[in-house]
Amino acid sequence: MYFRIFCKPLTSLSNMLLLSLSISSFAVYSASNAHPTSASLKPSSTKTQFSSSTEPSSPTKTHLSKKANQLTKMKVKVVVVSMFEIGDDTEDTPGAFQLWRERQSLDTRYPLPHGHHDIFANEEKGIIGIVTGMGIARASAAIMALGLDPRFDLTHAYWLVAGIAGMDPADGTIGSAVWTDYVVDGDLAHQIDAREIPGDWKTGYFPLFTHSPYANAASVNPEKAPNGEVYILNASLRDWAFNLTKDTALPNTPAMDKLRATYTGFPNALTAPTVMTGSHLSASTFWHGKLLNDWANDWVGYWTQSKGNFVTSGMEDSATLQALTYLDNANLVDKDRVLILRTASNFTMQPAGLTAAKNLELESSGEGYAALQSAVEAAYAVGSVVIEEITTNWDTVKNELPVKP
């Protein structure tokens, strides 16, 4: 089989990359899985604070895909992208991935030694789930590894990036689900310590290739960001997903009510969770506080020509979209089929009466993260509606994007 592949002409760079990856992945897989045992079927043991790629000791059934060491491609309908998991993948406190793994029956494992976490699939429904790992470095590497993996045909796949986020209390409340229109990168910048900036500067953090905060604003073009400063998602697809899910019931708890009640002066923060749309700021630093929240609003406004409004904060989405952009260039994916859903686990700034430092401390010790589990549930409640619609109507949406419900 492999001799015949070598004999075929490699007519494109993407084919060369796919062949190279298939050989290296197969070599790694064959060496470690020639005689599978319970130990050899476990994914990599690399861990982060919120992520574990070890197999749960629970009786949940998992089996290795017959395609894991072959070049037979799984034709993927939907890719669910999660960023982290807490503990095991199943039957414990869920992180971003667990509900998808359990409720979508993602029971078939595809080893991914060149990524953060093995891929799990429901081959019958055409759904796969990937955990990228936290931060832009791991996210970009994981998405590129998946996109170049010869075991998957992703040319018609829809991508649902579903994760938790911080919420600007001026726009919404914890537990809400936000379909993203713009993703703005918050890392590409110049920075001068605030203690050394000129007196008339609002911030010491300003765009690359400028000499002061928000210079050259009139020349910014969100559709031609040269270094990945901003990404525009497919507005029609986002609107379709929003209209399909806008009436979804979202979980709420007394602890969440207690927390949001402290945000007096922010009427949108005091409401019940809802499905909404907004712009996302993607940055590797977990920032917090009123002043940085003001910066986030200004930064998103600058890079979107005020067409976007900062609503949620997270870490990975600029990296995910950059990788998908490159893969789209190689005709391996369709970037117009990407949806990003962020659900609010916390607020991005402190309420009245607390300092930013104290509030950040409370978020990691106490009731500050009161909405974490509700946000995880909300991501599944909203996102699964879209997945069901796509997979049920695959004959219609495989070649044509869905229209507004």
Side-chain angles (χ1 to χ4, degrees):
M1 176 175 65
Y2 286 90
F3 180 77
R4 290 199 300 272
I5 294 172
F6 275 112
C7 288
K8 292 180 179 179
L10 299 177
T11 56
S12 69
L13 175 60
S14 62
N15 284 341
M16 294 175 67
L17 289 171
L18 287 172
L19 179 58
S20 174
L21 179 61
S22 69
I23 295 169
S24 60
S25 296
F26 179 71
V28 172
Y29 171 79
S30 297
S32 61
N33 294 280
H35 301 285
T37 65
S38 60
S40 66
L41 291 184
K42 291 183 179 181
S44 168
S45 59
T46 303
K47 298 181 179 180
T48 64
Q49 180 180 358
F50 291 119
S51 178
S52 172
S53 53
T54 57
E55 179 66 10
S57 57
S58 66
T60 300
K61 293 182 180 180
T62 303
H63 58 275
L64 190 68
S65 171
K66 294 179 181 179
K67 301 173 185 175
N69 63 339
Q70 301 175 3
L71 290 183
T72 304
K73 291 178 180 288
M74 174 184 171
K75 295 186 181 298
V76 179
K77 299 175 183 176
V78 179
V79 182
V80 178
V81 180
S82 303
M83 277 55 76
F84 74 96
E85 185 47 60
I86 301 172
D88 292 331
D89 285 350
T90 60
E91 300 186 355
D92 61 0
T93 301
F97 178 60
Q98 182 166 315
L99 299 185
W100 299 103
R101 168 92 187 270
E102 293 177 338
R103 299 177 186 178
Q104 291 294 326
S105 300
L106 305 182
D107 297 329
T108 302
R109 177 187 295 173
Y110 286 79
L112 193 71
H114 48 295
H116 171 72
H117 190 285
D118 285 351
I119 294 169
F120 287 85
N122 182 326
E123 293 181 326
E124 182 178 351
K125 292 186 69 174
I127 303 170
I128 65 173
I130 184 171
V131 182
T132 64
M134 293 172 62
I136 60 172
R138 285 184 168 179
S140 59
I143 297 300
M144 188 60 71
L146 171 57
L148 294 175
D149 196 313
R151 297 170 295 181
F152 304 103
D153 180 351
L154 301 166
T155 53
H156 293 96
Y158 290 83
W159 296 71
L160 175 63
V161 180
I164 62 172
M167 168 67 76
D168 184 349
D171 296 299
T173 193
I174 49 177
S176 292
V178 184
W179 291 108
T180 302
D181 51 11
Y182 292 88
V183 171
V184 176
D185 186 285
D187 291 325
L188 295 167
H190 294 295
Q191 185 175 22
I192 299 174
D193 191 294
R195 292 166 293 186
E196 297 183 290
I197 63 176
D200 59 346
W201 282 21
K202 188 177 180 179
T203 177
Y205 201 81
F206 52 101
L208 285 175
F209 313 116
T210 65
H211 304 292
S212 61
Y214 312 115
N216 306 326
S219 64
V220 172
N221 184 352
E223 296 183 358
K224 295 181 180 180
N227 300 298
E229 295 92 345
V230 57
Y231 301 86
I232 307 173
L233 282 88
N234 185 329
S236 296
L237 187 64
R238 181 209 64 223
D239 290 344
W240 168 80
F242 170 74
N243 283 291
L244 187 67
T245 60
K246 61 184 179 181
D247 296 323
T248 303
L250 301 178
N252 191 36
T253 67
M256 292 165 63
D257 288 335
K258 180 180 178 181
L259 177 60
R260 64 169 62 96
T262 64
Y263 282 80
T264 55
F266 295 92
N268 289 329
L270 303 176
T271 63
T274 187
V275 179
M276 52 194 294
T277 63
S279 302
H280 183 77
L281 180 65
S282 173
S284 289
T285 300
F286 191 133
W287 56 268
H288 187 75
K290 180 186 181 304
L291 296 180
L292 285 174
N293 195 72
D294 290 343
W295 160 78
N297 277 279
D298 293 341
W299 194 260
V300 170
Y302 175 85
W303 284 113
T304 65
Q305 283 280 299
S306 298
K307 296 175 182 176
N309 172 46
F310 166 68
V311 176
T312 57
S313 65
M315 294 183 178
E316 300 84 9
D317 292 352
S318 57
T320 295
L321 291 175
Q322 182 61 80
L324 288 172
T325 298
Y326 288 146
L327 291 167
D328 179 86
N329 291 343
N331 297 316
L332 296 173
V333 307
D334 183 353
K335 67 180 181 180
D336 284 334
R337 297 182 174 221
V338 179
L339 290 162
I340 294 180
L341 177 67
R342 286 285 184 164
T343 52
S345 59
N346 60 289
F347 290 111
T348 53
M349 59 171 281
Q350 71 274 26
L354 286 178
T355 65
K358 184 61 178 178
N359 198 55
L360 187 59
E361 177 186 348
L362 291 174
E363 284 196 343
S364 58
S365 57
E367 298 181 353
Y369 254 123
L372 175 58
Q373 288 305 313
S374 292
V376 169
E377 286 281 356
Y380 183 83
V382 175
S384 61
V385 174
V386 169
I387 287 182
E388 187 64 26
E389 187 73 13
I390 290 172
T391 55
T392 300
N393 298 286
W394 184 246
D395 289 343
T396 301
V397 302
K398 176 182 178 181
N399 295 311
E400 297 287 340
L401 295 180
V403 297
K404 184 176 180 180

